[in-house]
Amino acid sequence: MMVYILIGIIILAAIAVALVLYIRNTKLEDLNNKYHRLEEVKTLPFQDELFKVKDLNLHGEAKELYSGWQREWQSSYNESVDESKLLLEDAKLDLTKFKFSDSNEKVNHADHTLDSVETKYEQLSGEIDELLQANEKAMIARAEAEKIHREAKRDVLASAYQFGEAEGPLEELIDSFEPEINEYDLMKNAGNYVSANKHIAEVHSDLVTLKENMEDIPLLIREVQKDLPAQFQEIRFGCRDLKADGYDLEHVKVENKLSTLKGKLNLVEPLISRLDLDEARKILDDINNNVDDILELIELEVKAKIKVDEDQPLVTDELFHAR
């Protein structure tokens, strides 16, 4: 009986030993994978990423960015790789002593450390690509800005009559953009790409606004000089005809309101000539809204009289029968 018990104990011990050895071999295999990952991290091509900016003027901001990326990568890389290597070596030693829990903890720590290196690689590579893309976008904006500037100068010279008294201020404004465009080139040549990109984006935006305003100025002038005065006259003549037909429009005070609107309209053209177009548009919007209100009041009066005229025979008939 004791023999069977002894044999059973030996078998269980053998199974336990085999299981422990299996676990250790599995963890050694996982550890080898971590060593393989460590080697992959060592070969991350960050120098290739830095090489992308070698063609830039490495002065000013570009030099600071380049040095910062290089310094930040080397710091993160050296610390993390060295730490991960030590952790993996300690984890391997723990496995030889069958300290599985300690080994697992160190492997996981090494894994997280390698994660941080890869994250830093992605972050810095992204910043490099972002700068290069911003530079390309800025060059396109510069070309477009120069085109808009050239066309604006041509349009003012070719169609000066369309801009009225705004012609002179427009020419001055257009001329002021040339040194701003050139400033982008100077900033770029000095390596200040971030500032240069921001600068040309603002210049481009201002020139786009200038182009839109130049398209709008002739329309605003026409509205001030022709459209609204014609509309005022049309309302006056229409009201005279309505009064002649028996419509009571005294309470609408059309003449007073039109005189007030004419006074406001006289303020607009000087604003256009000074290129204060936002204020000019604001006043014109207010005038147009007031014109709409006047027309609405006239329409209500016309509808009211029509209603009265339609009901008059019926009222008269009822009064006759009431007698």
Side-chain angles (χ1 to χ4, degrees), residues 13-158:
I15 292 172
V17 170
L19 182 61
V20 168
L21 290 174
Y22 172 77
I23 292 173
R24 188 181 70 171
N25 289 338
T26 301
K27 292 190 175 296
L28 278 172
E29 184 177 351
D30 182 54
L31 185 63
N32 288 332
N33 290 334
K34 301 305 178 187
Y35 271 113
H36 180 68
R37 187 186 177 200
L38 175 61
E39 293 304 314
E40 289 179 343
V41 168
K42 285 181 178 179
T43 59
L44 286 173
F46 187 70
Q47 291 305 317
D48 292 345
E49 296 297 318
L50 276 178
F51 189 76
K52 293 178 181 178
V53 299
K54 279 291 187 179
D55 292 335
L56 301 182
N57 296 311
L58 291 179
H59 310 290
E61 293 172 351
K63 183 178 180 180
E64 291 178 12
L65 287 170
Y66 183 88
S67 299
W69 287 326
Q70 196 170 40
R71 184 170 57 252
E72 196 172 346
W73 171 250
Q74 287 299 329
S75 174
S76 175
Y77 175 86
N78 291 336
E79 291 176 10
S80 299
V81 167
D82 290 345
E83 183 182 0
S84 297
K85 185 177 179 181
L86 289 173
L87 286 167
L88 293 177
E89 288 175 352
D90 288 346
K92 188 174 185 179
L93 183 61
D94 287 338
L95 284 180
T96 61
K97 300 176 180 178
F98 300 99
K99 295 180 179 179
F100 297 145
S101 179
D102 291 345
S103 178
N104 283 342
E105 185 177 340
K106 290 170 183 174
V107 168
N108 289 334
H109 190 179
D111 216 23
H112 290 313
T113 303
L114 293 175
D115 284 342
S116 69
V117 181
E118 291 179 336
T119 299
K120 181 61 68 175
Y121 173 80
E122 295 296 332
Q123 175 203 329
L124 298 180
S125 298
E127 290 177 9
I128 291 170
D129 289 338
E130 184 178 350
L131 175 65
L132 295 175
Q133 290 170 12
N135 290 350
E136 290 181 11
K137 185 177 179 181
M139 286 189 288
I140 294 171
R142 194 239 185 261
E144 290 179 353
E146 188 173 37
K147 181 174 181 288
I148 295 172
H149 178 256
R150 184 173 61 250
E151 290 175 349
K153 290 187 70 172
R154 180 198 64 198
D155 291 345
V156 168
L157 290 174

Side-chain angles (χ1 to χ4, degrees), residues 174-192:
I174 292 168
D175 289 341
S176 72
F177 281 103
E178 187 169 359
E180 294 298 326
I181 294 173
N182 293 335
E183 179 65 17
Y184 162 77
D185 297 331
L186 295 174
M187 295 169 77
K188 179 181 170 184
N189 291 338
N192 296 321

Side-chain angles (χ1 to χ4, degrees), residues 259-275:
S259 296
T260 301
L261 294 181
K262 184 66 170 70
K264 288 184 177 181
L265 188 61
N266 290 336
L267 301 174
V268 176
E269 200 160 357
L271 291 172
I272 296 173
S273 68
R274 298 197 299 270
L275 301 181

Side-chain angles (χ1 to χ4, degrees), residues 199-290:
H199 176 74
I200 197 62
E202 292 173 352
V203 172
H204 178 267
S205 176
D206 290 343
L207 277 165
V208 169
T209 300
L210 170 66
K211 181 180 179 182
E212 293 171 352
N213 286 339
M214 287 181 65
E215 293 171 353
D216 210 14
I217 286 174
L219 301 177
L220 293 173
I221 292 175
R222 174 171 178 159
E223 187 172 8
V224 172
Q225 294 180 347
K226 294 183 179 180
D227 295 346
L228 281 172
Q231 197 168 7
F232 293 168
Q233 275 299 94
E234 187 178 341
I235 292 172
R236 281 195 178 95
F237 292 151
C239 286
R240 288 175 188 173
D241 292 342
L242 289 171
K243 287 178 182 179
D245 291 339
Y247 290 90
D248 182 12
L249 299 175
E250 289 300 323
H251 64 286
V252 179
K253 302 185 184 304
V254 174
E255 282 298 330
N256 289 341
K257 290 179 179 178
L258 289 179
S259 296
T260 301
L261 294 181
K262 184 66 170 70
K264 288 184 177 181
L265 188 61
N266 290 336
L267 301 174
V268 176
E269 200 160 357
L271 291 172
I272 296 173
S273 68
R274 298 197 299 270
L275 301 181
D276 192 353
L277 302 185
D278 287 339
E279 185 62 24
R281 292 187 187 100
K282 182 179 177 181
I283 294 175
L284 287 174
D285 286 343
D286 180 61
I287 292 173
N288 280 301
N289 288 334
N290 277 278

